[in-house]
Amino acid sequence: MEHQDLLSGFIRMHILHHAAEDGIYGQWMIEELAEHGYRISAGTLYPMLHAMERRGYLSSSKTRLGRTYRRVYVATDLGRDALAQAKLKLRELFREIVEEARHS
């Protein structure tokens, strides 16, 4: 993914947003991100999910799906708090960028 270091924060926000709404799983998240123009591989997403879980933003459980299992991630209280703070910062940045564009 081009500019991965910059865009990875937005990807994490997407993950927290959806995990706060409902449980998510890796392949669904890859497809959801693709709808927003992010091309991310499983080799990038899964380490990100695992790191977010280690940091306490997500929790996961295995869910049986036929003969296989799917790991489902949900946002923790810490993850919901982090998302709320990130939304405030995103709104602030958005206003700054939009105001700057209006005055240019």
Side-chain angles (χ1 to χ4, degrees), residues 32-50:
E32 172 65 18
L33 289 166
E35 288 182 24
H36 295 282
Y38 298 99
R39 302 288 179 239
I40 186 169
S41 70
T44 299
L45 179 67
Y46 285 105
M48 192 178 288
L49 290 170
H50 297 157

Side-chain angles (χ1 to χ4, degrees), residues 39-81:
R39 302 288 179 239
I40 186 169
S41 70
T44 299
L45 179 67
Y46 285 105
M48 192 178 288
L49 290 170
H50 297 157
M52 291 176 73
E53 185 172 22
R54 278 192 312 275
R55 290 183 182 117
Y57 298 123
L58 300 173
S59 65
S60 70
S61 60
K62 286 185 180 179
T63 303
R64 189 174 181 101
L65 187 68
R67 292 182 169 199
T68 63
Y69 288 90
R70 175 179 288 160
R71 183 162 296 278
V72 176
Y73 295 86
V74 295
T76 62
D77 289 341
L78 180 65
R80 291 173 193 278
D81 183 56

Side-chain angles (χ1 to χ4, degrees), residues 8-27:
S8 65
F10 290 115
I11 291 170
R12 286 181 181 87
M13 284 185 67
H14 270 278
I15 291 168
L16 279 176
H17 169 74
H18 290 292
E21 289 184 331
D22 198 10
I24 61 166
Y25 59 94
Q27 186 57 43

Side-chain angles (χ1 to χ4, degrees), residues 66-104:
R67 292 182 169 199
T68 63
Y69 288 90
R70 175 179 288 160
R71 183 162 296 278
V72 176
Y73 295 86
V74 295
T76 62
D77 289 341
L78 180 65
R80 291 173 193 278
D81 183 56
L83 178 61
Q85 289 182 37
K87 284 179 179 181
L88 290 174
K89 295 297 184 186
L90 181 59
R91 283 186 191 106
E92 180 182 320
L93 177 61
F94 179 79
R95 276 189 230 113
E96 187 174 318
I97 291 170
V98 170
E99 287 301 314
E100 184 179 298
R102 287 183 184 162
H103 293 93
S104 295

